[in-house]
Structures are given as structure tokens and as C-alpha cells.
Amino acid sequence: MASHRRPKQPSRARVTVLTTIATAAVALTSQSAQADPKPSKADVKEKVDHLYHEAEAATEKASGAEEAENKLAKQVDALQDKVARGQDELNEMRESLGSMASAQYRTGGVDPAVQLFLSSDPDSYLEKASTLDQVSAKQAESLQQIQAKQRTLAQQRQEAQSKVTDLAETRKELTKKKKEVQTKLAAAQKLLNTLTAQERDELAKADAERASRGNDRIDLGNEKPTSGRAAAALEAAKTQIGKPYVSGAEGPNAYDCSGLTQWAYGQAGVSLTRTTYTQVNDGTKIGRGELAPGDLVFFSSLSHVALYVGNGQVLHAPKPGTVVRYEAMEWAGSFQFGVRI
């Protein structure tokens, strides 16, 4: 006979638990949706500008590491060449002493001191041989020269090895800084990609309009450079207007901020160091009220540099996605000080 029992109804406690779980799931889903809203255009711009600033600071440090790497590499090459030449000189000195021993043998025997030198390790022999009474004055002088050359070579080899170690550490630091730059730029691009194409175009257009309102119509006033080299550097920089900003670039097809200032002054016959952090020491520091065309202007914790052009305007390579251009100082960053070259 078929059973007619009704299905067991869930207990009130079980219903309460299920209801609570369902409510919590809905709440979590709602919170998750609210926790990650699409950022506004203004938020994206602020975050991207911050990332570009951080990337620029990392770029300057990378450029400094690259400059140090080049300097160390030249020092290592010079030291290694010096060691090689010294070894050749030492070999010649030993050969000369050997020739002296051969001559003695042909004329009646080898001096005991020279014989000792030729039959044992020269390094352990030299201290003993130099004190032997049998050594002639000429032989003693030759032995002392060899001993001095060996000490010099040992010191040069040690110095070269130390520089090689420094070079390896500097290259490691350079790689780290370059990776940091790329990470910051990638994060900025990822943020920009959250905007629509129209929104990105609007940001770019607003940035260009704010920058100079037309580089060919900008009012630079009538201020004059304080030196011929400043005037020449500024004129050189003006020829680069419109060329793109590229992290680590130093011309002539693209620039970062300190790459532009270094290149411009290079055209004026003045050698500036490579980074903002070192260019601050390439001249005399001055205040904002003392600025004249051609002076360097530093911004944003010294991570950015520009050329002052007059009337509160600068000429610089601003940031990724822009070109060398004029811009009002208030938009270039937080003013630190000027430097007159």
C-alpha cells in the first residue's frame, strides 16, 4: 500500500539560517558592485598625473644609475688596461733579469742570488734575495723594481675588482629603476583605459589647451637672458618644440625633462650632468623673483626641471604622452628654486 506521508517541512531554524545566508549573499554582491565603481574622469586624471610624477622621479634615478654605470665602465676599462700594461712591463723586467743570469752563466756561472730567483717562486724569493750580499748593485735594483711592480699590480687588480663589483651593483639598480618606471607607466595606461575614447580625447585636449594656448602665440614678455650661454641654450631648446617626451631620452628625437636641459646647454658648449638631482648643483641657486630666460627651474621635489623663458613661462618636456612645449609655471609642478648656469 502506497505511503501518503507529506514531505517533512523544514524547521523554522533552518528557514531562518537559509534566509540569513541569502540576505548576506545579496548584501555582499551589492557591496562588491559598489566597492569598484567606474572611476570618474577627474579621478583618473588625478591618479594618472600622480603615477606620471612617480614615473618621472624613477626615470631621473634610472638616468643617474645609467650615468654612474657609464662612468664605472670607463674606470674599469682604464684599470684593466693599466693592469695589462703593468703585467707586460713586469714580464719584460723578469726577462731582463733572466738575460743577465744567462750572461753570467756564459762567463763563469750564475750568481747564487739570481740562481735562487730562477729556481723558486719569485714572489716568495724577492724579500730574501734583496738582502743577499752576493747580489750585484744592478741585480739588486732590478729585483727591487720587480718587487715594486708586483705590489703595484696587486693594488691595481684589487681596485679593478672593486670597480667591477660596484658596476654590477649599479647595473642591478638600473634594471630595478627601469622596471619601476615601466610599472608606473603601465598602471597609468591601465587607468586611462577605464575611460572611453571620447573621455581620453577630452583629457588630452584639455591638457594641450591648458599648457600654452598655442605655442606660436604665447607671450614671453621682454625679459633678457643673463649670459650668452643661457641665450644659446634657450634658442637650441626652442628648436625642439613638438618632439615627444620619452622616459630616459636625451635627444635629438625625443627627451625627458633633464635630457632636454642637458641637450640644450650642450649646444651652448656647457656640459650639464644627466639628472635633475645632479643638475641642481651645476650652477648657482636663485629664487623665483631672480629668474631670467635660460635659467633652470626645478619642480616637485626636484624630480622635474624646465628652462625659464620669461613672463612666468617655462619650456620643458612635461610627461609621457606630451611633447616639448611652453607651459605656465603653475602647471609645471610645485616650484622649488632656480639654478643659473
Side-chain angles (χ1 to χ4, degrees), residues 166-205:
D166 291 344
L167 181 58
E169 288 298 317
T170 300
R171 284 175 173 164
K172 183 178 178 181
E173 180 68 13
L174 176 58
T175 299
K176 177 183 175 181
K177 290 303 178 185
K178 284 185 174 179
K179 183 177 181 181
E180 184 179 344
V181 171
Q182 294 306 315
T183 299
K184 298 293 185 184
L185 294 179
Q189 188 58 55
K190 185 177 180 180
L191 273 172
L192 287 172
N193 289 342
T194 64
L195 301 178
T196 65
Q198 181 179 348
E199 287 174 325
R200 290 196 295 271
D201 288 343
E202 288 171 353
L203 280 180
K205 183 178 179 180

mmCIF file of all heavy atoms in Angstrom, residues 166-205:
data_model
loop_
_atom_site.group_PDB
_atom_site.id
_atom_site.type_symbol
_atom_site.label_atom_id
_atom_site.label_comp_id
_atom_site.label_asym_id
_atom_site.label_seq_id
_atom_site.Cartn_x
_atom_site.Cartn_y
_atom_site.Cartn_z
ATOM 1 N N ASP A 166 81.250 47.199 -7.985
ATOM 2 C CA ASP A 166 80.396 48.395 -7.980
ATOM 3 C C ASP A 166 79.569 48.483 -9.257
ATOM 4 O O ASP A 166 78.383 48.865 -9.230
ATOM 5 C CB ASP A 166 81.246 49.667 -7.849
ATOM 6 C CG ASP A 166 81.891 49.793 -6.479
ATOM 7 O OD1 ASP A 166 81.446 49.090 -5.555
ATOM 8 O OD2 ASP A 166 82.847 50.580 -6.352
ATOM 9 N N LEU A 167 80.185 48.138 -10.373
ATOM 10 C CA LEU A 167 79.495 48.191 -11.664
ATOM 11 C C LEU A 167 78.328 47.215 -11.700
ATOM 12 O O LEU A 167 77.242 47.539 -12.184
ATOM 13 C CB LEU A 167 80.484 47.887 -12.791
ATOM 14 C CG LEU A 167 79.938 47.913 -14.223
ATOM 15 C CD1 LEU A 167 79.335 49.276 -14.539
ATOM 16 C CD2 LEU A 167 81.052 47.579 -15.216
ATOM 17 N N ALA A 168 78.546 46.028 -11.162
ATOM 18 C CA ALA A 168 77.479 45.023 -11.138
ATOM 19 C C ALA A 168 76.299 45.501 -10.291
ATOM 20 O O ALA A 168 75.133 45.329 -10.669
ATOM 21 C CB ALA A 168 78.017 43.698 -10.597
ATOM 22 N N GLU A 169 76.594 46.127 -9.138
ATOM 23 C CA GLU A 169 75.534 46.637 -8.267
ATOM 24 C C GLU A 169 74.783 47.791 -8.934
ATOM 25 O O GLU A 169 73.559 47.899 -8.824
ATOM 26 C CB GLU A 169 76.138 47.110 -6.940
ATOM 27 C CG GLU A 169 76.608 45.981 -6.033
ATOM 28 C CD GLU A 169 75.474 45.068 -5.609
ATOM 29 O OE1 GLU A 169 74.394 45.579 -5.275
ATOM 30 O OE2 GLU A 169 75.673 43.838 -5.632
ATOM 31 N N THR A 170 75.523 48.641 -9.635
ATOM 32 C CA THR A 170 74.896 49.779 -10.314
ATOM 33 C C THR A 170 73.984 49.292 -11.441
ATOM 34 O O THR A 170 72.887 49.822 -11.643
ATOM 35 C CB THR A 170 75.977 50.717 -10.881
ATOM 36 O OG1 THR A 170 76.792 51.190 -9.811
ATOM 37 C CG2 THR A 170 75.347 51.919 -11.580
ATOM 38 N N ARG A 171 74.419 48.302 -12.172
ATOM 39 C CA ARG A 171 73.581 47.734 -13.240
ATOM 40 C C ARG A 171 72.326 47.095 -12.671
ATOM 41 O O ARG A 171 71.243 47.172 -13.275
ATOM 42 C CB ARG A 171 74.398 46.724 -14.046
ATOM 43 C CG ARG A 171 75.378 47.391 -15.003
ATOM 44 C CD ARG A 171 76.263 46.412 -15.719
ATOM 45 N NE ARG A 171 77.066 47.102 -16.733
ATOM 46 C CZ ARG A 171 78.136 46.583 -17.314
ATOM 47 N NH1 ARG A 171 78.557 45.373 -16.974
ATOM 48 N NH2 ARG A 171 78.804 47.279 -18.228
ATOM 49 N N LYS A 172 72.462 46.473 -11.524
ATOM 50 C CA LYS A 172 71.301 45.874 -10.859
ATOM 51 C C LYS A 172 70.306 46.961 -10.462
ATOM 52 O O LYS A 172 69.092 46.814 -10.650
ATOM 53 C CB LYS A 172 71.777 45.091 -9.627
ATOM 54 C CG LYS A 172 70.681 44.359 -8.876
ATOM 55 C CD LYS A 172 71.272 43.593 -7.704
ATOM 56 C CE LYS A 172 70.174 42.876 -6.904
ATOM 57 N NZ LYS A 172 70.753 42.148 -5.740
ATOM 58 N N GLU A 173 70.816 48.065 -9.923
ATOM 59 C CA GLU A 173 69.967 49.191 -9.531
ATOM 60 C C GLU A 173 69.304 49.822 -10.755
ATOM 61 O O GLU A 173 68.119 50.205 -10.709
ATOM 62 C CB GLU A 173 70.801 50.240 -8.795
ATOM 63 C CG GLU A 173 70.036 51.462 -8.329
ATOM 64 C CD GLU A 173 69.034 51.175 -7.228
ATOM 65 O OE1 GLU A 173 69.097 50.072 -6.639
ATOM 66 O OE2 GLU A 173 68.187 52.037 -6.959
ATOM 67 N N LEU A 174 70.038 49.925 -11.859
ATOM 68 C CA LEU A 174 69.488 50.490 -13.089
ATOM 69 C C LEU A 174 68.324 49.645 -13.600
ATOM 70 O O LEU A 174 67.278 50.175 -13.985
ATOM 71 C CB LEU A 174 70.589 50.583 -14.152
ATOM 72 C CG LEU A 174 70.162 51.073 -15.537
ATOM 73 C CD1 LEU A 174 69.533 52.449 -15.458
ATOM 74 C CD2 LEU A 174 71.362 51.083 -16.475
ATOM 75 N N THR A 175 68.515 48.343 -13.598
ATOM 76 C CA THR A 175 67.451 47.438 -14.032
ATOM 77 C C THR A 175 66.208 47.596 -13.159
ATOM 78 O O THR A 175 65.078 47.629 -13.658
ATOM 79 C CB THR A 175 67.933 45.978 -13.985
ATOM 80 O OG1 THR A 175 69.049 45.820 -14.862
ATOM 81 C CG2 THR A 175 66.833 45.016 -14.404
ATOM 82 N N LYS A 176 66.424 47.725 -11.856
ATOM 83 C CA LYS A 176 65.318 47.891 -10.912
ATOM 84 C C LYS A 176 64.551 49.185 -11.185
ATOM 85 O O LYS A 176 63.316 49.194 -11.204
ATOM 86 C CB LYS A 176 65.876 47.890 -9.482
ATOM 87 C CG LYS A 176 64.832 48.131 -8.405
ATOM 88 C CD LYS A 176 65.492 48.182 -7.036
ATOM 89 C CE LYS A 176 64.481 48.544 -5.946
ATOM 90 N NZ LYS A 176 65.135 48.628 -4.606
ATOM 91 N N LYS A 177 65.281 50.286 -11.405
ATOM 92 C CA LYS A 177 64.633 51.577 -11.640
ATOM 93 C C LYS A 177 63.879 51.593 -12.967
ATOM 94 O O LYS A 177 62.796 52.160 -13.070
ATOM 95 C CB LYS A 177 65.670 52.694 -11.605
ATOM 96 C CG LYS A 177 66.242 52.968 -10.224
ATOM 97 C CD LYS A 177 65.154 53.314 -9.226
ATOM 98 C CE LYS A 177 65.700 53.550 -7.833
ATOM 99 N NZ LYS A 177 64.611 53.777 -6.842
ATOM 100 N N LYS A 178 64.464 50.987 -13.990
ATOM 101 C CA LYS A 178 63.779 50.928 -15.284
ATOM 102 C C LYS A 178 62.479 50.122 -15.173
ATOM 103 O O LYS A 178 61.457 50.482 -15.772
ATOM 104 C CB LYS A 178 64.698 50.315 -16.337
ATOM 105 C CG LYS A 178 65.784 51.265 -16.827
ATOM 106 C CD LYS A 178 66.600 50.652 -17.947
ATOM 107 C CE LYS A 178 67.586 51.660 -18.519
ATOM 108 N NZ LYS A 178 68.404 51.071 -19.610
ATOM 109 N N LYS A 179 62.526 49.050 -14.403
ATOM 110 C CA LYS A 179 61.321 48.235 -14.200
ATOM 111 C C LYS A 179 60.268 49.046 -13.447
ATOM 112 O O LYS A 179 59.074 48.968 -13.747
ATOM 113 C CB LYS A 179 61.676 46.972 -13.418
ATOM 114 C CG LYS A 179 60.500 46.022 -13.227
ATOM 115 C CD LYS A 179 60.933 44.752 -12.514
ATOM 116 C CE LYS A 179 59.751 43.796 -12.342
ATOM 117 N NZ LYS A 179 60.151 42.552 -11.631
ATOM 118 N N GLU A 180 60.716 49.847 -12.477
ATOM 119 C CA GLU A 180 59.787 50.684 -11.720
ATOM 120 C C GLU A 180 59.110 51.704 -12.631
ATOM 121 O O GLU A 180 57.899 51.947 -12.518
ATOM 122 C CB GLU A 180 60.545 51.402 -10.605
ATOM 123 C CG GLU A 180 59.666 52.238 -9.695
ATOM 124 C CD GLU A 180 60.447 52.922 -8.584
ATOM 125 O OE1 GLU A 180 61.598 52.519 -8.321
ATOM 126 O OE2 GLU A 180 59.902 53.867 -7.986
ATOM 127 N N VAL A 181 59.875 52.299 -13.539
ATOM 128 C CA VAL A 181 59.312 53.252 -14.495
ATOM 129 C C VAL A 181 58.235 52.579 -15.337
ATOM 130 O O VAL A 181 57.117 53.117 -15.496
ATOM 131 C CB VAL A 181 60.414 53.833 -15.406
ATOM 132 C CG1 VAL A 181 59.784 54.660 -16.533
ATOM 133 C CG2 VAL A 181 61.378 54.690 -14.609
ATOM 134 N N GLN A 182 58.563 51.417 -15.884
ATOM 135 C CA GLN A 182 57.610 50.719 -16.742
ATOM 136 C C GLN A 182 56.353 50.315 -15.981
ATOM 137 O O GLN A 182 55.245 50.353 -16.523
ATOM 138 C CB GLN A 182 58.284 49.480 -17.354
ATOM 139 C CG GLN A 182 59.415 49.810 -18.310
ATOM 140 C CD GLN A 182 58.980 50.764 -19.416
ATOM 141 O OE1 GLN A 182 57.918 50.604 -20.013
ATOM 142 N NE2 GLN A 182 59.810 51.772 -19.677
ATOM 143 N N THR A 183 56.521 49.942 -14.709
ATOM 144 C CA THR A 183 55.366 49.561 -13.889
ATOM 145 C C THR A 183 54.438 50.751 -13.677
ATOM 146 O O THR A 183 53.210 50.630 -13.785
ATOM 147 C CB THR A 183 55.834 49.015 -12.528
ATOM 148 O OG1 THR A 183 56.642 47.847 -12.734
ATOM 149 C CG2 THR A 183 54.650 48.648 -11.648
ATOM 150 N N LYS A 184 55.015 51.916 -13.379
ATOM 151 C CA LYS A 184 54.206 53.122 -13.168
ATOM 152 C C LYS A 184 53.479 53.527 -14.454
ATOM 153 O O LYS A 184 52.296 53.891 -14.427
ATOM 154 C CB LYS A 184 55.092 54.277 -12.704
ATOM 155 C CG LYS A 184 55.799 54.046 -11.386
ATOM 156 C CD LYS A 184 54.857 53.987 -10.224
ATOM 157 C CE LYS A 184 55.622 53.868 -8.906
ATOM 158 N NZ LYS A 184 54.702 53.708 -7.739
ATOM 159 N N LEU A 185 54.183 53.483 -15.568
ATOM 160 C CA LEU A 185 53.568 53.870 -16.844
ATOM 161 C C LEU A 185 52.461 52.894 -17.239
ATOM 162 O O LEU A 185 51.422 53.298 -17.777
ATOM 163 C CB LEU A 185 54.634 53.940 -17.942
ATOM 164 C CG LEU A 185 55.690 55.041 -17.776
ATOM 165 C CD1 LEU A 185 56.688 54.982 -18.923
ATOM 166 C CD2 LEU A 185 55.041 56.416 -17.706
ATOM 167 N N ALA A 186 52.690 51.606 -16.966
ATOM 168 C CA ALA A 186 51.668 50.606 -17.291
ATOM 169 C C ALA A 186 50.422 50.816 -16.433
ATOM 170 O O ALA A 186 49.287 50.677 -16.911
ATOM 171 C CB ALA A 186 52.230 49.195 -17.083
ATOM 172 N N ALA A 187 50.624 51.158 -15.161
ATOM 173 C CA ALA A 187 49.488 51.414 -14.270
ATOM 174 C C ALA A 187 48.703 52.642 -14.737
ATOM 175 O O ALA A 187 47.463 52.657 -14.695
ATOM 176 C CB ALA A 187 49.993 51.613 -12.844
ATOM 177 N N ALA A 188 49.437 53.662 -15.191
ATOM 178 C CA ALA A 188 48.763 54.867 -15.702
ATOM 179 C C ALA A 188 47.938 54.544 -16.944
ATOM 180 O O ALA A 188 46.796 54.998 -17.085
ATOM 181 C CB ALA A 188 49.796 55.942 -16.018
ATOM 182 N N GLN A 189 48.513 53.752 -17.832
ATOM 183 C CA GLN A 189 47.793 53.384 -19.049
ATOM 184 C C GLN A 189 46.560 52.541 -18.735
ATOM 185 O O GLN A 189 45.507 52.691 -19.369
ATOM 186 C CB GLN A 189 48.725 52.616 -19.989
ATOM 187 C CG GLN A 189 48.135 52.361 -21.370
ATOM 188 C CD GLN A 189 47.756 53.646 -22.083
ATOM 189 O OE1 GLN A 189 48.588 54.533 -22.235
ATOM 190 N NE2 GLN A 189 46.506 53.762 -22.509
ATOM 191 N N LYS A 190 46.691 51.678 -17.736
ATOM 192 C CA LYS A 190 45.549 50.846 -17.334
ATOM 193 C C LYS A 190 44.405 51.721 -16.827
ATOM 194 O O LYS A 190 43.224 51.468 -17.128
ATOM 195 C CB LYS A 190 45.984 49.859 -16.251
ATOM 196 C CG LYS A 190 44.898 48.870 -15.839
ATOM 197 C CD LYS A 190 45.441 47.873 -14.819
ATOM 198 C CE LYS A 190 44.347 46.885 -14.394
ATOM 199 N NZ LYS A 190 44.858 45.902 -13.400
ATOM 200 N N LEU A 191 44.748 52.760 -16.074
ATOM 201 C CA LEU A 191 43.730 53.693 -15.596
ATOM 202 C C LEU A 191 43.083 54.447 -16.751
ATOM 203 O O LEU A 191 41.857 54.618 -16.790
ATOM 204 C CB LEU A 191 44.357 54.683 -14.618
ATOM 205 C CG LEU A 191 44.434 54.279 -13.153
ATOM 206 C CD1 LEU A 191 45.254 55.294 -12.373
ATOM 207 C CD2 LEU A 191 43.041 54.129 -12.546
ATOM 208 N N LEU A 192 43.907 54.899 -17.682
ATOM 209 C CA LEU A 192 43.370 55.619 -18.838
ATOM 210 C C LEU A 192 42.429 54.732 -19.653
ATOM 211 O O LEU A 192 41.447 55.219 -20.230
ATOM 212 C CB LEU A 192 44.516 56.125 -19.723
ATOM 213 C CG LEU A 192 45.309 57.311 -19.166
ATOM 214 C CD1 LEU A 192 46.524 57.586 -20.036
ATOM 215 C CD2 LEU A 192 44.429 58.560 -19.079
ATOM 216 N N ASN A 193 42.727 53.459 -19.686
ATOM 217 C CA ASN A 193 41.885 52.534 -20.456
ATOM 218 C C ASN A 193 40.509 52.317 -19.843
ATOM 219 O O ASN A 193 39.631 51.735 -20.482
ATOM 220 C CB ASN A 193 42.604 51.189 -20.613
ATOM 221 C CG ASN A 193 43.791 51.278 -21.554
ATOM 222 O OD1 ASN A 193 43.896 52.213 -22.344
ATOM 223 N ND2 ASN A 193 44.691 50.322 -21.476
ATOM 224 N N THR A 194 40.316 52.761 -18.585
ATOM 225 C CA THR A 194 38.984 52.656 -17.979
ATOM 226 C C THR A 194 38.051 53.744 -18.524
ATOM 227 O O THR A 194 36.845 53.676 -18.317
ATOM 228 C CB THR A 194 39.060 52.781 -16.439
ATOM 229 O OG1 THR A 194 39.533 54.086 -16.094
ATOM 230 C CG2 THR A 194 39.996 51.730 -15.853
ATOM 231 N N LEU A 195 38.628 54.734 -19.183
ATOM 232 C CA LEU A 195 37.823 55.804 -19.780
ATOM 233 C C LEU A 195 37.431 55.432 -21.202
ATOM 234 O O LEU A 195 38.077 54.591 -21.844
ATOM 235 C CB LEU A 195 38.613 57.117 -19.796
ATOM 236 C CG LEU A 195 39.097 57.667 -18.459
ATOM 237 C CD1 LEU A 195 39.908 58.937 -18.694
ATOM 238 C CD2 LEU A 195 37.926 57.940 -17.520
ATOM 239 N N THR A 196 36.426 56.085 -21.690
ATOM 240 C CA THR A 196 36.044 55.895 -23.088
ATOM 241 C C THR A 196 37.032 56.656 -23.970
ATOM 242 O O THR A 196 37.766 57.528 -23.490
ATOM 243 C CB THR A 196 34.632 56.425 -23.347
ATOM 244 O OG1 THR A 196 34.630 57.847 -23.149
ATOM 245 C CG2 THR A 196 33.619 55.772 -22.412
ATOM 246 N N ALA A 197 37.041 56.345 -25.244
ATOM 247 C CA ALA A 197 37.923 57.039 -26.176
ATOM 248 C C ALA A 197 37.625 58.537 -26.174
ATOM 249 O O ALA A 197 38.534 59.365 -26.239
ATOM 250 C CB ALA A 197 37.758 56.466 -27.581
ATOM 251 N N GLN A 198 36.354 58.881 -26.072
ATOM 252 C CA GLN A 198 35.971 60.292 -26.059
ATOM 253 C C GLN A 198 36.511 60.990 -24.813
ATOM 254 O O GLN A 198 37.015 62.111 -24.886
ATOM 255 C CB GLN A 198 34.441 60.428 -26.105
ATOM 256 C CG GLN A 198 33.968 61.888 -26.110
ATOM 257 C CD GLN A 198 32.455 62.004 -26.191
ATOM 258 O OE1 GLN A 198 31.767 61.033 -26.470
ATOM 259 N NE2 GLN A 198 31.935 63.198 -25.920
ATOM 260 N N GLU A 199 36.410 60.309 -23.669
ATOM 261 C CA GLU A 199 36.910 60.900 -22.427
ATOM 262 C C GLU A 199 38.425 61.088 -22.480
ATOM 263 O O GLU A 199 38.946 62.104 -22.008
ATOM 264 C CB GLU A 199 36.529 60.012 -21.241
ATOM 265 C CG GLU A 199 35.051 60.068 -20.885
ATOM 266 C CD GLU A 199 34.685 59.071 -19.805
ATOM 267 O OE1 GLU A 199 35.280 57.969 -19.779
ATOM 268 O OE2 GLU A 199 33.805 59.388 -18.982
ATOM 269 N N ARG A 200 39.137 60.128 -23.045
ATOM 270 C CA ARG A 200 40.594 60.263 -23.178
ATOM 271 C C ARG A 200 40.943 61.433 -24.090
ATOM 272 O O ARG A 200 41.882 62.194 -23.816
ATOM 273 C CB ARG A 200 41.203 58.958 -23.710
ATOM 274 C CG ARG A 200 41.166 57.815 -22.706
ATOM 275 C CD ARG A 200 42.105 56.692 -23.118
ATOM 276 N NE ARG A 200 41.691 56.063 -24.366
ATOM 277 C CZ ARG A 200 40.850 55.030 -24.450
ATOM 278 N NH1 ARG A 200 40.314 54.524 -23.331
ATOM 279 N NH2 ARG A 200 40.535 54.509 -25.612
ATOM 280 N N ASP A 201 40.196 61.572 -25.170
ATOM 281 C CA ASP A 201 40.427 62.696 -26.088
ATOM 282 C C ASP A 201 40.167 64.031 -25.395
ATOM 283 O O ASP A 201 40.904 65.003 -25.601
ATOM 284 C CB ASP A 201 39.529 62.570 -27.322
ATOM 285 C CG ASP A 201 39.971 61.440 -28.247
ATOM 286 O OD1 ASP A 201 41.126 60.983 -28.107
ATOM 287 O OD2 ASP A 201 39.165 61.022 -29.095
ATOM 288 N N GLU A 202 39.139 64.064 -24.570
ATOM 289 C CA GLU A 202 38.802 65.299 -23.858
ATOM 290 C C GLU A 202 39.921 65.674 -22.884
ATOM 291 O O GLU A 202 40.270 66.852 -22.752
ATOM 292 C CB GLU A 202 37.475 65.128 -23.103
ATOM 293 C CG GLU A 202 36.261 65.083 -24.023
ATOM 294 C CD GLU A 202 34.990 64.698 -23.279
ATOM 295 O OE1 GLU A 202 35.096 64.330 -22.079
ATOM 296 O OE2 GLU A 202 33.907 64.745 -23.891
ATOM 297 N N LEU A 203 40.490 64.675 -22.192
ATOM 298 C CA LEU A 203 41.597 64.935 -21.271
ATOM 299 C C LEU A 203 42.817 65.464 -22.016
ATOM 300 O O LEU A 203 43.460 66.426 -21.575
ATOM 301 C CB LEU A 203 41.969 63.663 -20.511
ATOM 302 C CG LEU A 203 41.099 63.276 -19.311
ATOM 303 C CD1 LEU A 203 41.626 61.986 -18.683
ATOM 304 C CD2 LEU A 203 41.075 64.384 -18.278
ATOM 305 N N ALA A 204 43.131 64.827 -23.127
ATOM 306 C CA ALA A 204 44.302 65.249 -23.906
ATOM 307 C C ALA A 204 44.114 66.666 -24.446
ATOM 308 O O ALA A 204 45.042 67.483 -24.427
ATOM 309 C CB ALA A 204 44.527 64.271 -25.058
ATOM 310 N N LYS A 205 42.904 66.952 -24.910
ATOM 311 C CA LYS A 205 42.624 68.279 -25.461
ATOM 312 C C LYS A 205 42.712 69.340 -24.372
ATOM 313 O O LYS A 205 43.303 70.419 -24.570
ATOM 314 C CB LYS A 205 41.227 68.291 -26.093
ATOM 315 C CG LYS A 205 40.870 69.614 -26.762
ATOM 316 C CD LYS A 205 39.484 69.545 -27.403
ATOM 317 C CE LYS A 205 39.141 70.872 -28.050
ATOM 318 N NZ LYS A 205 37.790 70.836 -28.684
#
